[in-house]
Amino acid sequence: MTTWLHEERLNAVRAIIRDRRARRILDLGCGDGDLLLPLALDPGIERIVGVDTDPAALSRLQRRLEEAASENRPEIRLVHGSMTEGGAALAGFDCAILLETIEHIDPGRLSVLERNIFVAMRPATVIITTPNAEYNPLLGVPPHRFRHPGHRFEWDRAKFLKWAEGVAERQRYSMVCRDIAGHHPTLGGPSQMAVFDALPQDAASG
C-alpha cells in the first residue's frame, strides 16, 4: 500500500511522461516497481528498463511482473546496478526517472551521478523528485532528522533549485522546478520535482 504523498509523486511523474509522449523509459532506483508496474500497463510505452542496487527489491518486482503478465505490455528489463555507473549502456531513452532516489546518494557522488545520467545516458527528458526539507515539520519529522534513515541529505527548495539550475546549465538542458502534493504558502510542497529537457545542439551552442 502506498501513501497519499507517494501516489501524488507517481501521478506527477506519469503526467510528465504523458506530456512528453515518452515511449522508452528508464526507471533509475525502481525498487519494488511502484512506478514501473503502472507504466507497464500504459499502451503508449514501448520499452522500460528498471535499475536498482537492491537484488531483493528486483526479485520482488520480477514476481510482481510475472503475476501481472499481459500480452500487450512493453519490453521490460531489470538491471542490478547503480545510477552512478554504466550509463553509456543505457543511452538512447526518451525519459529517465529518479523518484525519491538522489537523497540516498552521498552528496560527494552527485557529480558522478550527473555525468552518468546527463552525459553518458543523456535521455531526452530527466525527471527528479526529492523531499522538500522545509516541509518536514508538518510531517512530524524532528529537527536535525531525515524522513528516512537511508537518506544522506534532504534539501530545501532553494538548494534543490540551485543544484538543478547548475546541472541544466552545465549539461545543456532546460529545467523547471515545481512542488508536488500541494503548496504551503511558506513551506512549499512535501516533495519537489525538477524536469530537465535536452536542448537541441544548435540551441545549446548558440
Side-chain angles (χ1 to χ4, degrees):
M1 180 181 296
T2 59
T3 66
W4 70 272
L5 174 54
H6 194 45
E7 285 293 341
E8 289 289 315
R9 294 186 197 111
L10 295 172
N11 291 336
V13 168
R14 289 197 297 261
I16 299 298
I17 293 171
R18 289 192 298 269
D19 180 72
R20 299 304 192 270
R21 295 182 173 86
R23 305 176 72 84
R24 296 165 297 169
I25 308 295
L26 274 171
D27 187 356
L28 300 172
C30 61
D32 292 356
D34 289 343
L35 176 64
L36 191 151
L37 283 164
L39 290 179
L41 300 176
D42 188 330
I45 305 297
E46 295 177 351
R47 184 183 182 208
I48 308 173
V49 173
V51 180
D52 205 280
T53 57
D54 184 353
L58 291 174
S59 294
R60 290 191 295 271
L61 175 51
Q62 183 61 50
R63 289 194 297 271
R64 295 177 74 184
L65 286 168
E66 291 168 358
E67 292 169 358
S70 169
E71 292 182 1
N72 299 319
R73 81 180 188 187
E75 174 192 349
I76 299 173
R77 182 164 68 97
L78 303 182
V79 177
H80 178 224
S82 169
M83 294 180 290
T84 60
E85 299 173 353
L90 296 173
F93 282 78
D94 299 322
C95 185
I97 302 110
L98 292 82
L99 182 72
E100 307 291 298
T101 56
I102 63 168
E103 62 274 6
H104 292 267
I105 296 172
D106 188 293
R109 298 279 293 168
L110 287 175
S111 61
V112 177
L113 175 79
E114 176 184 333
R115 291 192 298 272
N116 197 48
I117 293 173
F118 291 89
V119 179
M121 296 180 189
R122 196 161 183 82
T125 298
V126 180
I127 305 170
I128 299 178
T129 78
T130 192
N132 169 22
E134 296 167 76
Y135 203 90
N136 283 356
L138 296 186
L139 298 176
V141 180
H144 312 297
R145 292 277 299 276
F146 293 148
R147 295 185 195 178
H148 187 279
H151 290 182
R152 307 300 297 273
F153 65 89
E154 289 178 3
W155 283 339
D156 60 25
R157 288 170 295 164
K159 184 74 175 287
F160 183 52
L161 177 61
K162 181 179 179 180
W163 176 80
E165 287 178 335
V167 171
E169 181 178 1
R170 288 187 294 271
Q171 308 307 340
R172 306 190 312 279
Y173 279 75
S174 66
M175 187 280 302
V176 293
C177 276
R178 54 160 286 194
D179 295 319
I180 296 177
H183 177 80
H184 186 277
T186 58
L187 302 177
S191 281
Q192 49 192 334
M193 175 170 67
V195 181
F196 301 81
D197 289 300
L199 294 172
Q201 290 300 318
D202 56 349
S205 60

